Amino acid sequence: MSQRTITHPEQQAPPQADAASPLGNGLKQRHLSMIALGGVIGAGLFVGSGAGIAAAGPSIVLAYAASGLLVMFVMRMLGEMSAADPASGSFSVHAERAIGPWAGFTAGWMFWTLLCVGVAIEAIGAAHIMTGWFPGTPSWMWVLVFMSLFCGSNLAAVSNFGEFEFWFAALKIGAIALFLGLGVLAVLGVLPGADAPGTANLLHDGGFLPNGVDGLLVGLLASVVAYGGLETVTIAAAESENPVKGVARAVRTTMWRIAIVYVGSMLVIVTLLPWNDPAVAQDGPYAATLDHLGIPAAGEIMNVVILIALLSAMNANIYGSSRMAYSLVARGQGPKALAKVTGRVPRRAVLASSGFGFVTVLLSYWYPDTLFAWLLNMVGGVILVVWGFIAVSQLVLRRRLEREAPEKLVVRMWGFPYLTWVALAGVAGVLVLMALDTDTRVQVVFTGGLTVALAATGWTLQRRSAARATR
């Protein structure tokens, strides 16, 4: 039996594609630092959090804290593995080494699909903002402009991606820092024209849990989605000047980034505004808060920030999907044609990933209630499945590293193995909650179908590879 069969995962030879990768190392430490900082600030936070607040009320703070703790565990596990063995395929490579090629195939192509569909969603959102500023211009024109811009930048050199993300992240961090600064001053009652609200908005209008535990659970599900995208920094680290140092620094700052940006923002918003204020859901919680504080043109300011967040996510998703596709095909788990690297950039993988993203945009226009809705449901729970693969991989690889190369454990998962099991239970718990909720149940079903289909394909390819190896 070949050593690469699933029955002997400990004996599998690690894939060498990433170790001898022809990709560049044009990302500098400042790029990685800003990608890590800015990656936590997305359009989901600025817009999607409104639905969570409407459902959970002030308890949205607990929802973001609970899901944020789960994300901290996941990123710590991923950081441990990525610092030990940096790879452009990140968790897909780790899953292959820990569980088997079928697992790397499944996790990798699931994440690729998620990122490509994400490109479509972000392109449509950005086009919607632009048509609001320039009435009469067609949405498809803006989609084409943005897709061409970021596809072109990713085709050039990895440093282009890094520079775009550096400045996008700087603008997002500046915006969130200004918002939090103004918010804290208003909460303390020292901002001119704003009276300190005290605990009135936190405890009145139904109390801290106005819709009970059910509302809190809805808010929890909404908050999990907002955290997606943090994984890109471990993919980017493989093309940096010092991958180990870059991953270690990014992961170690995850805790305070989540605490300040997400939990801190939610606390400021629900302290300053009644949770059931219609503007929170209609205009978005950040715009509603700025308007409440009397900031001129609050809505347009937030539109600029949201546009930056959307463009940043598009850029990052094209990059992340192309590198994941390249890593998969370099390991023999995809079309060989995409493995070609030109100028230290996997340009065919960039074009394929951008092309799939553009096709999904077209599907949103042609079949918004059928094919595009099907795609959205299919990727609805993908990030949770990926997190599950990360946790299982870390359980296996940590033991292996402790035996074979303990010096590679630059970053260590806290409370191993207990907190790893807690994270795995948390992922399973969120999936169960999604299955029980009528609004998200269809996502679990479709995501489950995608997982089974990819796992079956990956298992078949693994068996064929093993059979060829024994001939």
Side-chain angles (χ1 to χ4, degrees):
M1 180 65 69
S2 169
Q3 289 185 333
R4 290 181 65 80
T5 60
I6 188 60
T7 52
H8 299 288
E10 289 272 348
Q11 299 176 7
Q12 294 172 11
Q16 296 302 313
D18 287 281
S21 174
L23 299 181
N25 60 349
L27 292 179
K28 303 181 184 299
Q29 184 58 50
R30 67 181 179 90
H31 292 147
L32 275 188
S33 297
M34 292 302 277
I35 290 169
L37 287 168
V40 79
I41 307 171
L45 173 66
F46 293 119
V47 181
S49 56
I53 293 172
S59 68
I60 192 67
V61 177
L62 292 181
Y64 270 89
S67 55
L69 188 62
L70 174 60
V71 174
M72 288 179 196
F73 291 161
V74 171
M75 286 302 295
R76 189 77 184 185
M77 289 184 283
L78 184 54
E80 177 183 289
M81 295 183 290
S82 296
D85 290 295
S88 62
S90 187
F91 49 82
S92 172
V93 172
H94 306 322
E96 177 170 343
R97 289 170 175 164
I99 308 168
W102 72 268
F105 179 93
T106 305
W109 286 115
M110 286 185 77
F111 195 69
W112 181 83
T113 305
L114 172 66
L115 294 185
C116 290
V117 174
V119 168
I121 296 170
E122 289 133 13
I124 294 166
H128 178 73
I129 292 175
M130 295 304 293
T131 54
W133 288 341
F134 301 96
T137 56
S139 293
W140 64 263
M141 181 189 76
W142 295 111
V143 169
L144 183 60
V145 167
F146 293 139
M147 290 293 295
S148 301
L149 173 65
F150 294 119
C151 178
S153 69
N154 276 280
L155 283 172
V158 70
S159 57
N160 285 7
F161 160 74
E163 282 300 320
F164 268 113
E165 283 305 291
F166 179 85
W167 292 109
F168 280 147
L171 291 169
K172 289 190 292 183
I173 292 166
I176 204 74
L178 182 60
F179 174 84
L180 287 172
L182 291 172
V184 170
L185 291 176
V187 168
L188 297 175
V190 296
L191 189 70
D195 297 325
T199 60
N201 293 323
L202 295 173
L203 302 178
H204 295 172
D205 293 320
F208 191 73
L209 277 165
N211 294 319
V213 176
D214 289 343
L216 176 61
L217 294 179
V218 173
L220 178 65
L221 296 179
S223 64
V224 167
V225 177
Y227 284 115
L230 286 171
E231 305 82 6
T232 303
V233 70
T234 61
I235 296 175
E239 292 184 77
S240 66
E241 297 172 324
N242 191 330
V244 175
K245 179 182 177 182
V247 167
R249 180 176 296 180
V251 170
R252 284 169 180 156
T253 60
T254 296
M255 180 176 291
W256 67 262
R257 283 184 280 132
I258 289 175
I260 294 176
V261 173
Y262 278 92
V263 182
S265 291
M266 292 302 106
L267 183 58
V268 165
I269 290 167
V270 295
T271 301
L272 291 175
L273 289 178
W275 67 272
N276 53 3
D277 187 331
V280 172
Q282 293 173 6
D283 304 330
Y286 288 82
T289 302
L290 292 176
D291 188 60
H292 173 75
L293 297 179
I295 305 299
E300 288 307 310
I301 291 173
M302 285 313 304
N303 273 339
V304 172
V305 175
I306 292 168
L307 179 64
I308 291 169
L310 288 167
L311 297 181
S312 172
M314 278 187 68
N315 188 37
N317 285 354
I318 290 175
Y319 170 81
S321 59
S322 66
R323 273 24 178 209
M324 182 60 74
Y326 166 76
S327 176
L328 285 162
V329 299
R331 288 178 278 138
Q333 296 183 345
K336 293 181 180 179
L338 300 184
K340 183 176 177 59
V341 175
T342 307
R344 309 201 77 179
V345 175
R347 290 176 179 166
R348 292 184 181 180
V350 171
L351 289 172
S353 300
S354 301
F356 187 83
F358 195 75
V359 168
T360 55
V361 173
L362 297 178
L363 292 178
S364 74
Y365 289 118
W366 295 337
Y367 310 103
D369 300 320
T370 51
L371 286 178
F372 189 63
W374 179 78
L375 274 173
L376 290 178
N377 286 325
M378 189 172 63
V379 301
V382 162
I383 196 64
L384 290 164
V385 177
V386 168
W387 290 352
F389 274 114
I390 290 172
V392 174
S393 300
Q394 193 265 341
L395 281 171
V396 175
L397 293 179
R398 171 63 174 268
R399 296 298 192 195
R400 192 179 300 172
L401 283 169
E402 287 176 336
R403 290 195 309 270
E404 300 174 3
E407 70 280 0
K408 288 188 175 183
L409 287 170
V410 179
V411 177
R412 291 174 180 263
M413 172 60 181
W414 309 297
F416 177 82
Y418 308 107
L419 290 184
T420 300
W421 283 109
V422 168
L424 199 54
V427 169
V430 175
L431 283 171
V432 170
L433 291 175
M434 289 181 68
L436 294 176
D437 186 87
T438 55
D439 294 330
T440 55
R441 185 177 301 143
V442 67
Q443 295 180 11
V444 176
V445 173
F446 276 75
T447 299
L450 175 65
T451 305
V452 170
L454 287 173
T457 304
W459 178 258
T460 301
L461 293 174
Q462 177 178 318
R463 293 293 298 271
R464 288 178 180 174
S465 177
R468 286 194 298 268
T470 56
R471 289 174 186 171

